[in-house]
Amino acid sequence: MVDPHRLRVFRAVVAEGSIGGAARALGYTSSAVSQHISALQRETGLALVERDGRGVLPTQDGLILAEESAAVFDHLARLDGIVGDLRQGRAGRLSVSYFASAGTTWIPPIVATITREFPDIRLDLRLVELAEDSPPGPDVEVYVDGAASSTLGGYECEHLVTEPYYAVVHSDSTLADAGRVTLGELATRSWVDNDIARGPCRQALLDACTAIGFTPDFGVQTQDYPTAIRFVAAGVGLTVVPELALVGLPDEVVALPIEDPTPTRAIWMRRHHRVAGSQAADRVVSLLRSAV
């Protein structure tokens, strides 16, 4: 096998036109360069240089070897670049998990930015509600306080925002013109459930209702906020959703702030220690902070 270091020295001799020039370019002694050339000739079984007065010239075989090896060193340089990109988090794979309403609002523009700024990063996107609870966890995750995944070790956690819930009612409802409602005013009305997964967002709302002495009367069960809001637009009860879900509301509904008390959910972000120093992960974190 040809020693790549000796081959690199030989290419320097060819490029500089002499052993002395190669020695100066490489910071070696002329004797060390000569020893590398002699060893390379023994390895290849080829005469790579010939004497020319007090200097040397590459032989025909030497010229061919130097020319053909250029592609090898170009490839090695590319590999060095890939290694550097992987080490700095500019290439490779980055997994990001998020809950549904964050996926509707925050995540699409973040993904667009990462794809544009880090074209060699492969994003592995996971919806928290559908993700399997098994290691390894995601590199970066946006989650609601109370989610089981928030208890996993190896992460640095950061609170992003605590957001209020709103009552979404039909525009013909007697509540529509009130501007705001108390949670107690919703106790006797028919609700549209919006979280079939029975996750922490729904639990935060139920806890607020329990605290003032009632359990919502869910007349219809749906899987997500947009579907529940469509049921409200059709005149089937009301639904209560966090602020982040108030995107693209139909004309037939009105969103009302809730008070006395105001249900809330705490949104957190966590980053695994394995992506510490990753430029792409740092950028995702920065974009999430900006989105909030």
Side-chain angles (χ1 to χ4, degrees):
M1 180 179 292
V2 176
D3 186 317
H5 179 64
R6 291 169 181 165
L7 185 57
R8 185 177 285 108
V9 172
F10 171 66
R11 285 171 50 81
V13 171
V14 174
E16 296 294 332
S18 69
I19 288 177
R24 288 189 294 272
L26 297 173
Y28 291 175
T29 65
S30 295
S31 175
V33 172
S34 297
Q35 290 175 13
H36 280 301
I37 299 303
S38 296
L40 182 62
Q41 290 184 125
R42 289 194 298 272
E43 287 177 349
T44 60
L46 299 171
L48 301 177
V49 294
E50 57 187 6
R51 291 290 176 182
D52 179 39
R54 299 183 62 181
V56 295
L57 288 175
T59 64
Q60 187 63 30
D61 288 344
L63 287 173
I64 293 174
L65 180 62
E67 181 178 348
E68 292 298 325
S69 64
V72 174
F73 284 101
D74 287 345
H75 184 65
L76 288 175
R78 180 173 176 272
L79 288 178
D80 286 341
I82 291 174
V83 169
D85 285 343
L86 289 170
R87 186 180 295 118
Q88 297 298 321
R90 295 188 299 266
R93 172 182 166 276
L94 185 70
S95 59
V96 179
S97 292
Y98 52 89
F99 56 91
S101 50
T104 302
T105 54
W106 295 343
I107 301 301
I110 289 175
V111 169
T113 299
I114 296 299
T115 301
R116 183 176 63 254
E117 296 181 0
F118 299 90
D120 293 325
I121 284 287
R122 176 182 176 272
L123 285 174
D124 180 4
L125 303 177
R126 309 175 185 178
L127 189 63
V128 170
E129 290 88 341
L130 299 179
E132 297 180 0
D133 188 16
S134 60
D139 297 321
V140 179
E141 182 175 38
V142 188
Y143 64 94
V144 175
D145 188 27
S149 59
S150 67
T151 62
L152 296 178
Y155 286 88
E156 177 185 347
C157 301
E158 176 182 335
H159 176 249
L160 289 176
V161 67
T162 296
E163 63 170 0
Y165 283 70
Y166 285 72
V168 179
V169 303
H170 195 278
S171 56
D172 290 338
S173 168
T174 55
L175 298 174
D177 295 330
R180 61 185 58 249
V181 295
T182 66
L183 188 58
E185 290 180 89
L186 309 180
T188 59
R189 297 176 180 264
S190 179
W191 290 40
V192 178
D193 199 355
N194 51 44
D195 186 358
I196 196 171
R198 303 294 190 265
C201 301
R202 183 179 188 271
Q203 191 59 49
L205 174 59
L206 293 180
D207 289 346
C209 295
T210 301
I212 63 170
F214 81 95
T215 299
D217 175 19
F218 292 116
V220 176
Q221 291 187 343
T222 65
Q223 297 186 10
D224 52 40
Y225 300 138
T227 304
I229 290 171
R230 288 293 175 183
F231 272 86
V232 175
V236 184
L238 63 86
T239 196
V240 177
V241 300
E243 187 173 25
L244 203 55
L246 302 178
V247 178
L249 293 179
D251 293 337
E252 297 86 354
V253 305
V254 176
L256 303 172
I258 301 174
E259 57 187 24
D260 194 27
T262 300
T264 62
R265 68 175 183 179
I267 298 175
W268 289 70
M269 167 181 63
R270 64 189 184 112
R271 172 171 50 180
H272 200 278
H273 296 162
R274 64 175 168 261
V275 291
S278 164
Q279 293 183 13
D282 288 346
R283 185 65 169 134
V284 170
V285 168
S286 174
L287 290 169
L288 281 168
R289 290 169 179 155
S290 297
V292 172

